[in-house]
Structure formats: C-alpha cells, structure tokens
Amino acid sequence: MAEYMTETEQRAPGVPPAGTPGVPRGRAGDGAAGPPDGQEAAALLEGTRALVDPALRAAVESLPGTMRRAALHHFGWQHADGTAAAGNAGKAIRPALVLAAAAALGGPAARVAAVRAAAAVELVHNFTLLHDDVMDRDTSRRHRPTVWTVFGVPDAILAGDALQALALGLLAGDAHPAAVPALARLTACVVELCEGQHTDTGLERRAPEEVTLDEVLVMAEAKTGALLGCACAIGALYAGAGEEEVSAMDGFGRQAGLAFQLIDDVIGIWGDSRQTGKPVGADLAARKKSLPVVAALTSGTPAAAELAELYGKPYAAEDAEAAGEIARTAQAVERAGGRDWAQAEAADRMARAVQELARAVPAPEAAGGLLALAEFVTRRSG
C-alpha cells in the first residue's frame, strides 16, 4: 500500500498489499477522502446514536446534583451554566461495535437486545475520558472546555466514577442471559484500562532512552485495544456466540484498537485541532511517550538523538517559542521515521484484525458493518 510505504518505497514487514479488505487506504491525519463504505460507517454510527443515546441520557439524568451537570456538559447536552445544548457526544465507535458484533453473529434481534450493553460500554469509555483529562491536564475535548476546567478536579473525578457505576448498573439490571458474562468482561476490562493508564503515566516520568517500543505497544493495547475488544466480545455474547467466536471478536477489537491508537497518536502530532477538538501538539508538550515518538526515539537515526534532546528539557513558557519547539519536535519525529512506522503498523494491525474477524464471522456480507467501522477509525483525520 503506497501510502504506508517509507520514503524509499519499502513496505514494512507484515503490511498487507493494496486492496486488502478492511485495511485503511488514506494517509492518516491528511484528511484523505474515504471509500464508498465510509458512508456505511457513518450510517452505523448515526443509527447507534439514535438507539443508545436515550439509554445514556436516562442514566446520566439519574445522577445527583453537580455530577449530573458535569456529565451532561461532558456529553455536550448542557452548557456549563446549565442551559440545554446540542453538542457533540462523541463518535459512538465503541457502542457501534457492540451492536455491529451482535448483528453480525445474531441478526437484528440481537442488535436491539444489546442496546443497554452498548450504552454501558460507552459510559465506561467516557469515565476514562473524564479521568484522562484530569491526569493529562487537557483543557478542551470535543470543541468545548473539559469538565475539570469548568467544575474542578474533584467533581470531574467523581463524575467519572459515577459514569463507571452507571455502566455496571445497566448490565446488572439487564435480564438478558448474556448480561452476567458481559458484566464480568466489562469489569475486567476496567481493571485493564486502569493498568494501561497507570503504565502510561509512569512512562512520562522515565527518560526517553529508557522506554521500549514493545512496552508502549502493550500499554496501548491495555488503554485502547482492551475496550474495543470488550465491546466486540460483548456484542458476540448478546448474539449467543460460543467461546471461540467471542474470543475472536475480542481479538478483532483489540487489533483494530491498536490501529486506532496508532492513528490517534499520528493525529495528535500532525492533525488539525479544528477537527480533533483538542490542541495539536499537546502530547509532545507533555512528553508523552506515544507510539510514533517511541518508534522515532528507538530508530537509531540522527533525528532520534535530536528528538531525545528535545524531550529531555522543558518546553519554553512563552506561547510563540513553545509552538516553535513543538513544531521542531514533530519534524524530528517524522525525520526519524515515527510517522511512517505508525502508519505501516496501523495497516499491519488492521490486517490482523481482519484475520480475527474471519474466524468469528466467515461470511463477508455479515462482517461488513464491523469492517466499515474498523476502516473508519483507522482512516479518520480527527
């Protein structure tokens, strides 16, 4: 695939050839036009919002006082002053995977039955966002101020805790026979998510030369791949799938999740803040050991040494000077091969995801929705 080749046009080992189903075809972060099935993903996400948002809204509205206001602000349903808003509640990728997996293995009835479970997965995702924003000191998300900047750190943390409790409550109160194993999966996933976040924050305190690419990949699977895998596995459970199919669906989501994180890291460095809703370069300023950065740091190139030097000192306090240093850092990551590696690795992970999906859903027509969603998350520009 040309867009995942290095500058010398050598395809990285394991990257699938052009035309591989489910593998992204545009350069991440460049806003390339999507294939026809991009419309299918958009329709799936819109349909998911229509099904899941009422359950989400009802759960959030059940919260008391400030926690309710903080959560409503986070989802874009209310302004900070308490007035109604019609903001962006997120792309709904994870609940869409729950419903698409249920439909692929159990048909439309299984999709409808899994709505509460899909809402639970989305609540867990947003619990992690609220806490991540506090830990990372991010000031904007989805084009609006983050909860901690509006309501304070304690209220943001407590609102996140409450969303997690609501998620578990949705499954605990579901009469579907898959609810109990789904609850067990989701609670285990929360522990894995916390472990991944703990590792991520620990990496920030380590010197650039002390971090390996393998441990960052493991961290990314725990932070991002785990919940996408859990979403797909829960959808399979609600379809009545067997253990082998559930495991394969988990593998599909995990590999697609790693591809998602790789592209997310690329967008975080080279994307457009007008599309992402977050300041581009914030991860570089915070010395995040993101996947492209660590790939660049471990490349053994002259640019890697330059990058290590930049990462080893504080950024300038003045905005204009800091912006210049962030731009130089991004250029060093690219010259050291971090961007090319991340894009090639994303294609490789998507190829693995497709192989896992084929184990669970052999019929391509049944797997179409899941493939469309996987392509969407790895081809986005914001």
Side-chain angles (χ1 to χ4, degrees):
M1 297 181 65
E3 51 275 30
Y4 285 107
M5 290 182 182
T6 65
E7 293 180 358
T8 56
E9 297 298 299
Q10 295 299 312
R11 183 158 52 85
V15 176
T20 300
V23 176
R25 290 188 284 273
R27 181 175 172 118
D30 286 352
D37 62 359
Q39 297 178 358
E40 181 181 356
L44 286 168
L45 293 169
E46 184 179 354
T48 296
R49 275 282 167 226
L51 282 172
V52 173
D53 272 6
L56 274 177
R57 188 72 182 257
V60 170
E61 291 280 7
S62 73
L63 293 174
T66 304
M67 283 189 291
R68 179 177 67 252
R69 288 180 52 218
L72 288 169
H73 168 77
H74 171 75
F75 280 103
W77 295 326
Q78 198 174 91
H79 295 298
D81 62 4
T83 58
N88 172 20
K91 296 181 179 70
I93 291 164
R94 291 154 189 83
L97 287 171
V98 174
L99 300 186
L105 291 164
R111 181 173 184 264
V112 173
V115 167
R116 284 173 65 96
V121 168
E122 183 71 343
L123 285 166
V124 164
H125 172 55
N126 282 276
F127 136 70
T128 69
L129 296 183
L130 283 164
H131 284 197
D132 283 0
D133 286 343
V134 170
M135 286 183 271
D136 296 342
R137 288 298 188 263
D138 284 336
T139 58
S140 64
R141 181 178 292 280
R142 299 169 183 162
H143 305 282
R144 57 183 172 271
T146 48
V147 168
W148 74 269
T149 65
V150 176
F151 297 90
V153 169
D155 284 345
I157 292 172
L158 292 170
D161 292 342
L163 292 186
Q164 181 189 172
L166 290 176
L168 303 181
L170 279 177
L171 286 175
D174 191 349
H176 194 283
V180 171
L183 179 58
R185 273 194 173 267
L186 191 58
T187 53
C189 181
V190 168
V191 174
E192 189 173 358
L193 290 168
C194 292
E195 180 185 19
Q197 180 66 12
H198 181 268
T199 301
D200 189 22
T201 55
L203 291 176
E204 292 180 48
R205 297 189 293 269
R206 289 165 55 184
E209 64 273 11
E210 295 176 352
V211 179
T212 69
L213 195 51
D214 282 346
E215 65 183 327
V216 180
L217 282 166
V218 170
M219 177 271 293
E221 180 176 345
K223 267 196 72 170
T224 305
L227 189 54
L228 270 70
C230 183
C232 295
I234 286 176
L237 286 170
Y238 272 75
E243 184 177 341
E244 185 175 346
E245 288 83 5
V246 171
S247 176
M249 290 303 299
D250 181 77
F252 164 74
R254 283 177 179 270
Q255 293 299 327
L258 270 172
F260 176 98
Q261 187 60 57
L262 285 153
I263 299 309
D264 198 61
D265 286 351
V266 169
I267 291 169
I269 299 173
W270 294 284
D272 185 342
S273 60
R274 291 171 298 182
Q275 297 184 45
T276 64
K278 297 181 67 175
V280 172
D283 285 354
L284 295 179
R287 311 300 194 288
K288 282 282 188 182
K289 307 300 194 301
S290 67
L291 288 158
V293 167
V294 176
L297 285 167
T298 56
S299 66
T301 62
E306 178 189 350
L307 177 61
E309 183 179 353
L310 287 165
Y311 250 54
K313 62 181 182 180
Y315 278 95
E318 296 297 326
D319 288 347
E321 190 177 349
E325 289 189 13
I326 288 172
R328 287 193 295 276
T329 305
Q331 291 164 7
V333 175
E334 186 153 16
R335 290 200 310 276
R339 185 173 186 169
D340 284 336
W341 174 86
Q343 293 177 146
E345 185 71 13
D348 184 30
R349 296 293 176 168
M350 270 304 305
R352 298 188 200 185
V354 171
Q355 291 172 352
E356 291 288 346
L357 182 58
R359 289 175 51 213
V361 190
E365 61 274 13
L370 289 163
L371 285 174
L373 290 169
E375 284 203 358
F376 171 81
V377 301
T378 53
R379 298 184 58 262
R380 63 205 174 91
S381 58

